[in-house]
Amino acid sequence: GESVGLHLPTLSVQEGDNSIINCAYSNSASDYFIWYKQESGKGPQFIIDIRSNMDKRQGQRVTVLLNKTVKHLSLQIAATQPGDSAVYFCAENGAGGSARQLTFGSGTQLTVLP
Amino acid sequence: ETGVTQTPRHLVMGMTNKKSLKCEQHLGHNAMYWYKQSAKKPLELMFVYNFKEQTENNSVPSRFSPECPNSSHLFLHLHTLQPEDSALYLCASSQDGFGSPLHFGNGTRLTVT
């Protein structure tokens, strides 16, 4: 069946280090992927997206990498800061249905250590 | 401050009560969504409205009743809920209903007693 999953439920990094959060997907038809950040008490916040015709996309301090061969997506955060502590979700649009809505993973809790 | 506002932020209701959740988006989007977020589970899509028409209902029990009077407002009417319905209910909007980025509100934390 279709699923979106993350390799690790928790990740701790030292402040200033780079963070890498991974996500696997199973639907080969997925052609649009998004990363969200959710801080405690808030709704998910859009970080960056990527379409399947790209392998890499960069934003401010964040990079998303897409490997369609192995159906793997990663989010890299450069120079991780305390404000980056949050739960990070990946989502993909290959869940089927006429509207092809997003399917979300379970999330990875990122903790930034001082 | 997000472009999607949800009220109330917290709600406690008994199983026989009737209450409504409200969502308003100020982004000029055409699609609105209700999601349920339970602890340690992925976000669950409940309903989708595209240009005020319901386009998705993910087998949601009838005790949840959505209403979308216009493209900017979305309601979720609740009645005779169960304790397992306790969760964070998130509203979102997007430019269209075909997988474009969702913009979420901060949710309503619902507790059913």
Side-chain angles (χ1 to χ4, degrees):
Chain A
E2 301 166 12
S3 66
V4 180
L6 286 87
H7 292 296
L8 293 173
T10 62
L11 175 66
S12 295
V13 298
Q14 292 292 139
E15 181 178 353
D17 287 352
N18 296 335
S19 303
I20 300 177
I21 302 171
N22 296 304
C23 184
Y25 65 95
S26 60
N27 192 332
S28 299
S30 298
D31 60 6
Y32 180 61
F33 305 86
I34 304 180
W35 281 100
Y36 284 91
K37 170 188 180 182
Q38 187 172 21
E39 298 174 87
S40 180
K42 295 185 178 181
Q45 178 185 5
F46 172 81
I47 301 174
I48 192 168
D49 59 0
I50 188 169
R51 298 201 178 270
S52 59
N53 60 352
M54 302 174 69
D55 297 322
K56 178 180 179 180
R57 191 169 186 215
Q58 289 184 291
Q60 188 174 12
R61 280 201 309 119
V62 296
T63 300
V64 56
L65 298 177
L66 176 62
N67 186 329
K68 295 180 286 294
T69 302
V70 295
K71 299 189 188 69
H72 183 268
L73 188 70
S74 68
L75 177 70
Q76 300 178 2
I77 305 173
T80 313
Q81 302 170 0
D84 295 326
S85 292
V87 177
Y88 289 81
F89 299 93
C90 62
E92 49 91 19
N93 75 337
S98 60
R100 300 192 74 196
Q101 304 305 332
L102 296 174
T103 298
F104 288 81
S106 301
T108 292
Q109 173 71 59
L110 175 65
T111 301
V112 181
L113 305 173
Chain B
E1 180 177 331
T2 70
V4 179
T5 303
Q6 290 187 244
T7 55
R9 290 298 311 276
H10 301 273
L11 178 62
V12 179
M13 59 186 291
M15 289 189 285
T16 59
N17 291 159
K18 290 184 179 181
K19 297 287 184 182
S20 295
L21 310 184
K22 179 182 177 182
C23 176
E24 182 175 1
Q25 60 98 358
H26 313 276
L27 300 169
H29 288 164
N30 298 312
M32 296 189 77
Y33 309 73
W34 281 116
Y35 278 86
K36 176 182 179 182
Q37 187 175 37
S38 304
K40 302 189 186 306
K41 292 177 65 175
L43 285 166
E44 300 173 55
L45 178 65
M46 300 176 71
F47 302 104
V48 181
Y49 279 82
N50 206 11
F51 291 95
K52 302 187 298 178
E53 298 297 321
Q54 188 179 124
T55 57
E56 294 278 340
N57 177 338
N58 273 10
S59 303
V60 180
S62 60
R63 58 186 184 269
F64 295 91
S65 175
E67 178 189 0
C68 188
N70 54 61
S71 294
S72 298
H73 294 85
L74 185 65
F75 297 89
L76 187 63
H77 304 299
L78 315 171
H79 64 97
T80 60
L81 294 191
Q82 305 298 311
E84 59 265 28
D85 296 323
S86 298
L88 182 68
Y89 288 85
L90 290 161
C91 174
S93 69
S94 69
Q95 185 59 48
D96 58 45
F98 293 91
S100 53
L102 302 178
H103 296 257
F104 286 88
N106 286 327
T108 294
R109 173 67 63 185
L110 174 67
T111 303
V112 181
T113 61

